[in-house]
Amino acid sequence: MNKIQIENKLSQYGHRPTAARLEVVEALLNFHGHMTADDLYEHMQSTGSSVGRMTVFRTLDLLAEIGVVRPTYQGSGAAHFVLLEDGHHHHLVCMRCAQTVEFAECSFAEDLSQQLAEKHGFKIEGHLLEIYGVCKKCQAG
Amino acid sequence: MNKIQIENKLSQYGHRPTAARLEVVEALLNFHGHMTADDLYEHMQSTGSSVGRMTVFRTLDLLAEIGVVRPTYQGSGAAHFVLLEDGHHHHLVCMRCAQTVEFAECSFAEDLSQQLAEKHGFKIEGHLLEIYGVCKKCQAG
DNA sequence: CCTTGTTTTGATATAAAATATCACCATGGC
DNA sequence: GCCATGGTGATATTTTATATCAAAACAAGG
């Protein structure tokens, strides 16, 4: 998902694609990984952006609401945001050191997704699959 | 997963199944849902438990480390813990109001799980599948 | 182009949640 | 019983998230 697509999605949901929001989106796409709101804010500061901390938080909330990112918990007390590239995301998480490996393989049957959607009256937009385990390093230690 | 099994798992990983920890486990199993550490602490207080707040936090962290629970983000700033009944858990989350519906159906192929495990050197212990969408109520509003 | 009403922004203040610290208690091995 | 280690819980501190609000930006209508 690129900047333009996200911009369109914002409009589509009745939110203005303002300069500040697009700066956040841009930084998010550049960062391309898991980050907290403050990580992103500090990164933006370091690149000379004047977007405020609140706006970063609010924009991430907004993006979560329209399904572009999803907050997850990754060890620390702060929410980490992951980009749902095509509506979904999958990763392996080490239960010890919180190291995270992303993978693209998606074994998730869309059939079931739709089935569940109807059963519970939900309009499905995406999913996140987290697999837990212990990484090689922590198995050794 | 019952109290005894969790108790064994604690021992197995070199942690003592102390009275305080077992009280937390008991409360967790009674609560049977999604809750924050403070929710659980307050619930325990209301039932006359004298276990401290720190112990509740630490025990939940410990249980997360051994794969009994998993913290997730559910709208508020606090981590919500879900019980991984048999190592896994699945739920539908509304992107608007954060309402959560659990479901048992598991379409996740264990084959892929093992395949990924080998590829990345992980020892797999479980997974969490979150499906995002908009609930009936929020679609209407 | 100028109002007018609405949305957005960002500084500051506040609240909430997580973590660090530390003295004390409990337990298991010797 | 004594020591080493692990666990507990009160308090203090830090980190993260949210609320507030005046100012700014913007869209729509005249």
Side-chain angles (χ1 to χ4, degrees), chain B residues 85-105:
Chain B
E85 289 286 355
D86 299 295
H88 55 185
H89 187 87
H90 319 92
H91 54 223
L92 272 168
V93 183
C94 176
M95 302 189 301
R96 300 286 155 71
C97 67
Q99 186 212 332
T100 302
V101 180
E102 304 184 24
F103 62 90
E105 295 93 333

Side-chain angles (χ1 to χ4, degrees), chain A residues 24-59:
Chain A
V24 175
V25 168
E26 183 102 57
L28 184 70
L29 292 173
N30 284 339
F31 219 108
H32 197 275
H34 302 174
M35 80 221 73
T36 67
D38 275 322
D39 287 345
L40 193 61
Y41 172 62
E42 276 159 33
H43 173 70
M44 287 173 72
Q45 289 261 301
S46 77
T47 63
S49 169
S50 61
V51 173
R53 207 176 91 102
M54 281 310 90
T55 300
V56 175
F57 272 81
R58 279 189 288 231
T59 303

Side-chain angles (χ1 to χ4, degrees), chain A residues 88 90 103-118 124-129, chain B residues 90 92 103 105-110 112 127 129-132:
Chain A
H88 55 187
H90 318 92
F103 62 89
E105 296 93 332
C106 184
S107 72
F108 180 60
E110 293 297 328
D111 296 349
L112 182 83
S113 172
Q114 290 314 318
Q115 213 173 303
L116 283 164
E118 285 173 32
I124 304 298
E125 306 247 337
H127 65 260
L128 170 69
L129 174 61
Chain B
H90 319 92
L92 272 168
F103 62 90
E105 295 93 333
C106 185
S107 73
F108 179 60
E110 292 298 327
L112 182 84
H127 66 261
L129 173 61
E130 292 193 319
I131 303 183
Y132 309 124

Side-chain angles (χ1 to χ4, degrees), chain A residues 95-96, chain B residues 8-15 66 123 125:
Chain A
M95 300 188 305
R96 299 287 153 70
Chain B
N8 289 338
K9 204 158 185 183
L10 273 169
S11 306
Q12 185 186 325
Y13 281 89
H15 302 295
I66 66 175
K123 181 162 154 282
E125 307 247 335

Side-chain angles (χ1 to χ4, degrees), chain B residues 16 18 20-21 50 52 54-55 58:
Chain B
R16 292 186 197 152
T18 65
R21 284 176 181 162
S50 61
M54 281 308 90
T55 300
R58 278 188 289 230

